[in-house]
Amino acid sequence: MIIVLEKKATQEQLEKVIAYLETSGFSVYKSSGEDGIVLRTTGGEPNFDLRKIEIIPAIAEVYPVEEPYKLAGRNYKDDKTIIKVRDVEIGGNEVVVIAGPCSIESEEQIFAIAETVSKAGAKILRGGAFKPRTSPYSFQGLGEEGLKLIRAAANQYGLLVVTEVIDSSQVDLVESYTDIFQVGSRNMQNFPLLKALGNKKKPVLLKRGYASKIEEWLMSAEYILSGGNMEVLLCERGIRTFETETRNTFDISAIPVIQRKSHLPVAADPSHAIGYRDKIIPMARAAVAAGADALMIEVHHNPEKALSDGPQALIPVEFEEMMKQLKRIAEVIGRKI
Ligand code: PEP
Ligand code: MN
């Protein structure tokens, strides 16, 4: 960190600060100029709480220099992580499309949607069997029955499965059906769940908490990585702001920001970010143009009857049209879909 002392700081205060830093394990380098005394430190404990320094009276400013995430950052690994599951690579040249309903509702529903999305070029089938609903009275998902249905539908149409796990007690059950675990926005800081997934050998799609900063999101990824599971796909799904015209505010800028800070691939989920069907295609185009490595799109063949998130689901013809447009956008930036 960089520590700027107040101009009026006394020699005694300076010595106290240096002694405190040294006993906290830092090496301290001092420089003084017209603007006063500046201390630069190296070493020390990871994730040192800067407030411990900020509250010392003679201190004007403290700036962190090191990133708090060790494994998620480009300092740890500059080459981009490519998550490979069978013949699908996420983080490579191809923009991988993940599509499917919000919830798995019935055999007829998941098979119909799987057929549509696979024919249009999606590689991964999404759908929740365990739903983290804001209201306990809303549809909570079909549970294991849903997992069986999504697995069967994906197998039938040559797709991979991503499905949400909402509690650490369900990790083993979900693992036996899915190819990729999904951690939802509401669970981004469910640390026992993240730790449980850190011990697994299957990739994790980690959605951004709707009130989380990018740094907090990367620290959640760090929980999974530090357990030994290096395959995390970050997914921007909109954040809560003062704007009420859309369900959330789609933070497309998170895509290039993450790609600069981290080697992990980034997905974008315009469906949950925007929440209205008519705006999903333009925002999906924007996400691909911004460099997303994967897209997650909700699709339903009968959205009026959907048990969750019908208003944001594309109908099959819209999904097919979107895929055609995205292929052309991907080409412009030297990628493919
Ligand atoms: C979902 O993918 O259906 C979902 C619940 O998303 P989020 O966690 O982003 O709200
Ligand atoms: Mn949904």
Side-chain angles (χ1 to χ4, degrees), residues 46-110:
N47 297 312
F48 181 81
D49 188 345
L50 296 187
R51 292 175 306 169
K52 290 179 181 170
I53 306 295
E54 283 165 347
I55 54 160
I56 299 176
I59 304 297
E61 302 286 347
V62 181
Y63 303 99
V65 175
E66 297 87 9
E67 293 159 341
Y69 37 89
K70 305 286 172 232
L71 303 172
R74 290 264 184 191
N75 280 341
Y76 172 73
K77 177 172 170 282
D78 203 28
D79 295 346
K80 208 162 159 188
T81 291
I82 296 184
I83 298 175
K84 192 164 175 358
V85 188
R86 280 187 254 142
D87 58 343
V88 177
E89 284 189 358
I90 307 169
N93 188 246
E94 182 171 349
V95 182
V96 174
V97 177
I98 305 166
C102 180
S103 302
I104 305 150
E105 298 168 2
S106 67
E107 182 172 2
E108 183 265 327
Q109 177 243 23
I110 193 71

Side-chain angles (χ1 to χ4, degrees), residues 2 19 23 42 65 76 88 90 122 141 161 165 168 172-174 176 207-209 247 251 272 286 314 318-320 334:
I2 307 277
T23 50
T42 58
V65 175
Y76 172 73
V88 177
I90 307 169
V161 171
V165 53
S168 47
D172 290 339
L173 173 70
V174 174
S176 58
K207 289 207 172 184
R208 179 178 185 178
R247 187 177 179 189
D251 183 11
H272 291 89
L314 295 186
E318 291 170 328
F319 182 71
E320 287 152 13

Side-chain angles (χ1 to χ4, degrees), residues 123-145:
K123 296 287 161 69
I124 305 177
L125 182 62
R126 63 145 288 143
F130 295 100
K131 297 300 300 177
R133 305 304 300 279
T134 300
S135 165
Y137 309 117
S138 302
F139 177 59
Q140 303 286 309
L142 294 181
E144 187 170 4
E145 182 53 28

